Amino acid sequence: MLTRTRSAAGAGWRWFTAFRRTRPFWGGLWLVVGGWTVLKFSLGAIQLVTAVGFNAVAGYLVGGGMMLCGLIPIAAPRQRVTFGLIGTVLAVVSLVVSNLGGFLLGMVFGVLGGAMTAGWGPRRSRAAAVSGSAE
């Protein structure tokens, strides 16, 4: 029973590694963490949010948008550049609309994740890398 469990865990880990290598996983993860940080520091009582208006809601929109921009490239890697750039812009905007971008931490994570997501490229085959040809 224990051997079967270890085998299943090993197969699951191999699947996750293969999945992670075909997508901008780390950039998307950093964008999600940055968005969560911005969203966490934007949280307030619902009475306060409705009383203040758009200024309070902007933190929710920016944090949620950053998280969405981190998840979409993981699901659809061809959209990595678009959502990486949008996520980076949202991270910079969070500096203004949400407690200094989650006290600078969320903004830094978001800019890092957006840059990693936009800059990620699919792995080239070894033969193409040796010959120097582009795919």
Side-chain angles (χ1 to χ4, degrees), residues 77-96:
R78 288 181 173 245
Q79 302 299 321
R80 68 187 182 273
V81 174
T82 302
F83 286 99
L85 292 175
I86 292 171
T88 303
V89 168
L90 285 174
V92 172
V93 167
S94 74
L95 183 69
V96 177

Side-chain angles (χ1 to χ4, degrees), residues 49-103:
V49 171
T50 55
V52 173
F54 182 74
N55 289 338
V57 175
Y60 290 103
L61 294 176
V62 169
M66 285 172 63
M67 292 175 73
L68 194 62
C69 286
L71 292 174
I72 289 175
I74 293 174
R78 288 181 173 245
Q79 302 299 321
R80 68 187 182 273
V81 174
T82 302
F83 286 99
L85 292 175
I86 292 171
T88 303
V89 168
L90 285 174
V92 172
V93 167
S94 74
L95 183 69
V96 177
V97 300
S98 174
N99 294 332
L100 290 176
F103 297 114

Side-chain angles (χ1 to χ4, degrees), residues 100-133:
L100 290 176
F103 297 114
L104 296 179
L105 194 61
M107 187 194 75
V108 168
F109 286 156
V111 169
L112 174 71
M116 287 174 69
T117 301
W120 179 85
R123 196 171 194 183
R124 295 183 352 184
S125 67
R126 195 175 282 269
V130 170
S131 67
S133 65

